[in-house]
Amino acid sequence: MNGRKRNLLTLATGTGKTFVAFQLCWRLWQMRWNMQGEYRRRILFLADRNVLVDDPKDKMFVDFGDARHKIEGGQIVKSREIYFAIYQALAKDERRPGLYREVEPDFFDLIIVDECHRGSARDDSNWREILDYFAPAYQLGMTATPLRADNRNTYAYFGHPLYTYSLAQGIEDGFLAPYRVRRILSEPDAAGWRPYAGQTDRHGRLIPDEEYHTKDFERVVALRARTDAFARHLTDFLTRTDRFDKTIVFCVDQDHADEMRRALTNLNRDLVRQFPDYVCRVTSDEGDIGRGHLSRFQDLETTTPVILTTSKLLTTGVDAPTCKNVVIAQVINSITEFKQIIGRGTRVREDYGKLFFNILDYTGSATRLFADPEFDGLPEVETAESIDLTGQIIDYAPNDEAPDTALREDGYDYGHGGDGPPTGGDQSGLYQKYYVDEGYVEIIGEIVYELDGQGRRLRTVQYTEHAGNIVRTLYTNHEHLHQQWVNPLQRRQVLSELRARGIELNELRRIAQQPAADPFDLLCHLAFNAPLYTRRERAQRLQRNRQDFFDQYGPEARAILSAMLEKYTDYGLTQFAFPDILKVAPIADYGNVMEIAQHFGGPQQLRSAVEELQALLYAA
């Protein structure tokens, strides 16, 4: 309406950029709008990856019917109205000056550039030539990332955003999922790795005698033991939470993604036998097969794939509402790329039970970028700029040294929209990677990072301190927690509340090095500095102080209750699960469920006895 030709929307990942684009196109289409006010109108939806145009074309924009057309195969059909294309299909190459030149500059009335931060606005980019050629069209850029050093060209080209909606605002409003960051540290990442004298790699090549660190792993030296350690830790984490929680693992390159897939497959053989696609690699090499894996991963109705390993292909523009775990196994130097990666987990799906997600960081990238003073979750534009009345920036100095995140995010040339360095041994001078198959790597530390009260920056807490903070948030004091805990039904609610905030009792006992502690006592100890008792101490105190409880029953019933108490001593509260506890030895030796119940006078009396046993266990 104002005649502003270049426009920008900055909307956090998961807040509906594609939906906004569809609504805009649909309303303009229904109005029979175009820049000349004539009936004819043509809109181009432009991106840098096929998945970013195929998904909108086949799903969100389906109501446009036959008016849709994807430009591919070196031809442009000029009789349609809603066009979809990737830059590469239009750009010049060695055979032609550029497919875009086969139509007039005013052919399109509106061009929507999705994920516009991915290099399209660089002055020296051949993609920029496409936008300059179609200068008569209105151009709308859409991005999830605020102005940063690595996307200055985007903001210089499109101007100040018409509207912004931040990740922090989306979380506060309830539309986006909050997150928890886990920093996991391995031996070589903590202390570095150095080959022994004369050590050769998988292909017999001598490994240069240097000390290698996180930035070198999977780029210069690929340590299979390190990948295996990451896979072991991730498998253990899923075992403690839910082995069917959808998970995306971001690796360094396609080769690393395949190694990670192999390691995770080997560690989850029981599920892989039942679900052959439990772990899949999705990179550009997989083509249609990989897109099939991704489609099933995104589908709410399908169970598998559960774990996808990838490198660059899924960093942006992929809607994965079921993703509960974002795993970072590569070094990320760009806040822009980091925001895109964590965006894979920000969708809320209440019907799927997804109200938050985890970021598992194995390289320190996430925690380092979260700690960046610029990263506060708010997509605010820097004020060191001047704009004219139409909103165009007229006093702005873009950083020519800023990396083109689409092409050279880590120093290697992947080609347009590429997915990582080529796989295999000798890389023809591009770069050389040494593959080390021997050795064993341990995970030596794990730290939880949490947002402060304003949701603006992360602070480091040990997992035990984090658990104590959560308990104090939910319960005002020791007595308040005790009231909820003594009732089995309310206790299940307590455990559910803790799990929803990332606290698993088995994991907590392991990290606190208190395997024999009663969970209630451990929580009270961490939150309120209460005395710490073991399960055996609680059981012995009950038998010593409340013998009258046992005396009211016959010998068989007393023996059954004592056996339950012994099971609790050995294995914890899960042993009170009803009626499963009645089906294991030595309790099962007293007969089937009904026969055991008769020793107490009936099923209801049996249930009441077990509930009273639990209440007395925590009476003091």
Side-chain angles (χ1 to χ4, degrees), residues 171 182 191 258 397 421 483 620:
I171 292 174
R182 295 171 181 270
D258 193 52
Q483 291 170 5

Side-chain angles (χ1 to χ4, degrees), residues 331-559:
V331 174
I332 304 171
N333 294 315
S334 162
I335 291 182
T336 297
E337 183 185 8
F338 173 68
K339 282 176 174 282
Q340 292 294 326
I341 284 179
I342 68 169
R344 301 314 106 213
T346 54
R347 272 84 170 173
V348 171
R349 285 304 302 232
E350 190 169 357
D351 55 340
Y352 188 73
K354 185 205 168 177
L355 299 175
F356 73 96
F357 70 102
N358 296 291
I359 302 172
L360 282 78
D361 179 18
Y362 291 93
T363 66
S365 299
T367 49
R368 176 173 50 81
L369 291 175
F370 265 126
D372 192 296
E374 281 193 307
F375 184 69
D376 57 7
L378 302 175
E380 298 172 345
V381 180
E382 294 175 1
T383 56
E385 61 189 34
S386 300
I387 60 175
D388 60 20
L389 294 178
T390 67
Q392 294 294 319
I393 297 176
I394 58 176
D395 184 11
Y396 192 90
N399 181 8
D400 293 334
E401 299 300 318
D404 185 334
T405 57
L407 296 178
R408 306 184 65 86
E409 289 178 321
D410 56 10
Y412 302 126
D413 189 352
Y414 299 151
H416 299 307
D419 192 78
T423 59
D426 183 10
Q427 305 301 335
S428 302
L430 180 65
Y431 78 110
Q432 190 173 37
K433 181 159 65 172
Y434 298 92
Y435 297 84
V436 180
D437 294 339
E438 57 188 298
Y440 184 82
V441 168
E442 287 281 1
I443 298 297
I444 61 175
E446 180 174 355
I447 300 173
V448 175
Y449 289 75
E450 64 177 17
L451 291 171
D452 67 11
Q454 287 69 46
R456 289 185 175 252
R457 60 183 178 275
L458 289 172
R459 65 187 186 92
T460 306
V461 294
Q462 294 295 335
Y463 188 77
T464 52
E465 182 186 346
H466 176 65
N469 291 339
I470 292 298
V471 172
R472 285 191 297 273
T473 299
L474 294 172
Y475 308 99
T476 54
N477 51 41
H478 178 282
E479 289 75 18
H480 184 199
L481 176 58
H482 181 265
Q483 291 170 5
Q484 303 292 312
W485 192 269
V486 293
N487 184 295
L489 292 178
Q490 292 178 329
R491 186 190 311 138
R492 282 197 288 271
Q493 181 63 30
V494 171
L495 297 176
S496 178
E497 292 280 358
L498 292 174
R499 278 195 298 271
R501 290 160 176 79
I503 304 301
E504 293 288 341
L505 293 183
N506 289 335
E507 182 181 17
L508 184 61
R509 283 199 298 265
R510 178 181 64 83
I511 293 176
Q513 298 183 344
Q514 296 291 342
D518 180 88
F520 170 76
D521 293 310
L522 180 57
L523 292 174
C524 289
H525 176 70
L526 296 175
F528 309 114
N529 200 31
L532 185 60
Y533 298 106
T534 65
R535 297 188 298 272
R536 183 165 297 280
E537 286 173 331
R538 276 205 173 269
Q540 290 174 344
R541 184 170 56 187
L542 170 61
Q543 290 175 318
R544 181 175 62 251
N545 297 340
R546 292 306 306 269
Q547 188 60 43
D548 59 310
F549 166 72
F550 296 94
D551 290 342
Q552 63 182 310
Y553 298 105
E556 293 83 1
R558 287 200 303 270

Side-chain angles (χ1 to χ4, degrees), residues 11-57:
L11 307 174
T13 299
T15 56
K17 290 190 295 296
T18 305
F19 185 70
V20 169
F22 164 75
Q23 288 291 341
L24 177 63
C25 293
W26 182 256
R27 290 166 191 266
L28 293 176
W29 198 62
Q30 292 294 316
M31 292 167 54
R32 301 185 177 184
W33 165 91
N34 82 337
M35 57 179 286
Q36 291 89 11
E38 304 168 357
Y39 177 81
R40 178 182 63 83
R41 67 274 182 199
R42 295 192 184 97
I43 299 173
L44 172 63
F45 190 96
L46 191 62
D48 74 320
R49 294 181 181 180
N50 279 302
V51 68
L52 297 182
V53 297
D54 290 342
D55 258 22
K57 171 180 173 291

Side-chain angles (χ1 to χ4, degrees), residues 559-605:
I560 292 171
L561 291 173
S562 296
M564 289 183 180
L565 205 56
E566 190 63 30
K567 289 287 186 183
Y568 155 78
T569 299
D570 292 337
Y571 304 108
L573 282 170
T574 56
Q575 299 306 304
F576 289 124
F578 215 82
D580 296 344
I581 185 61
L582 306 179
K583 301 176 182 179
V584 297
I587 301 172
D589 298 339
Y590 290 89
N592 58 34
V593 174
M594 291 306 299
E595 290 170 337
I596 293 174
Q598 290 307 313
H599 294 302
F600 292 83
Q604 185 57 48
Q605 290 83 349

Side-chain angles (χ1 to χ4, degrees), residues 156-264:
Y157 181 83
F158 287 102
H160 191 95
L162 297 174
Y163 181 74
T164 63
Y165 191 77
S166 69
L167 173 63
Q169 187 66 46
I171 292 174
E172 182 178 343
D173 292 345
F175 296 118
L176 297 181
Y179 45 84
R180 185 176 303 107
V181 182
R182 295 171 181 270
R183 168 76 166 101
I184 300 101
L185 190 64
S186 71
E187 288 176 305
D189 290 280
W193 180 86
R194 187 171 184 173
Y196 56 78
Q199 185 172 1
T200 58
D201 78 342
R202 179 189 305 167
H203 305 291
R205 297 172 299 180
L206 182 66
I207 303 172
D209 184 15
E210 300 176 13
E211 188 171 282
Y212 299 94
H213 297 275
T214 302
K215 62 182 176 60
D216 305 311
F217 297 138
E218 300 304 328
R219 301 184 185 280
V220 182
V221 174
L223 302 179
R224 172 173 283 188
R226 177 174 176 266
T227 300
D228 290 345
F230 292 176
R232 282 196 310 273
H233 182 274
L234 177 57
T235 299
D236 290 343
F237 176 80
L238 291 174
T239 301
R240 296 193 302 268
T241 53
D242 188 335
R243 295 181 74 186
F244 286 93
D245 279 352
K246 296 295 182 75
T247 301
I248 301 179
V249 185
F250 291 94
C251 303
V252 173
D253 54 26
Q254 298 192 62
D255 190 44
H256 187 210
D258 193 52
E259 287 289 308
M260 187 66 72
R261 179 204 57 79
R262 172 200 57 78
L264 288 167

Side-chain angles (χ1 to χ4, degrees), residues 72-122:
E72 56 187 346
Q75 295 182 337
I76 297 181
V77 176
K78 300 180 181 181
S79 59
R80 305 297 175 87
E81 296 176 344
I82 309 296
Y83 291 82
F84 298 81
I86 59 174
Y87 296 105
Q88 297 90 318
L90 299 176
K92 66 181 180 181
D93 56 30
E94 64 277 2
R95 294 182 295 106
R96 65 176 75 190
L99 186 61
Y100 65 92
R101 294 186 178 273
E102 297 187 10
V103 297
E104 296 300 317
D106 63 351
F107 183 79
F108 296 110
D109 302 300
L110 171 65
I111 298 177
I112 297 176
V113 186
D114 194 18
E115 307 294 351
C116 63
H117 62 278
R118 294 186 57 79
S120 60
R122 284 183 62 92

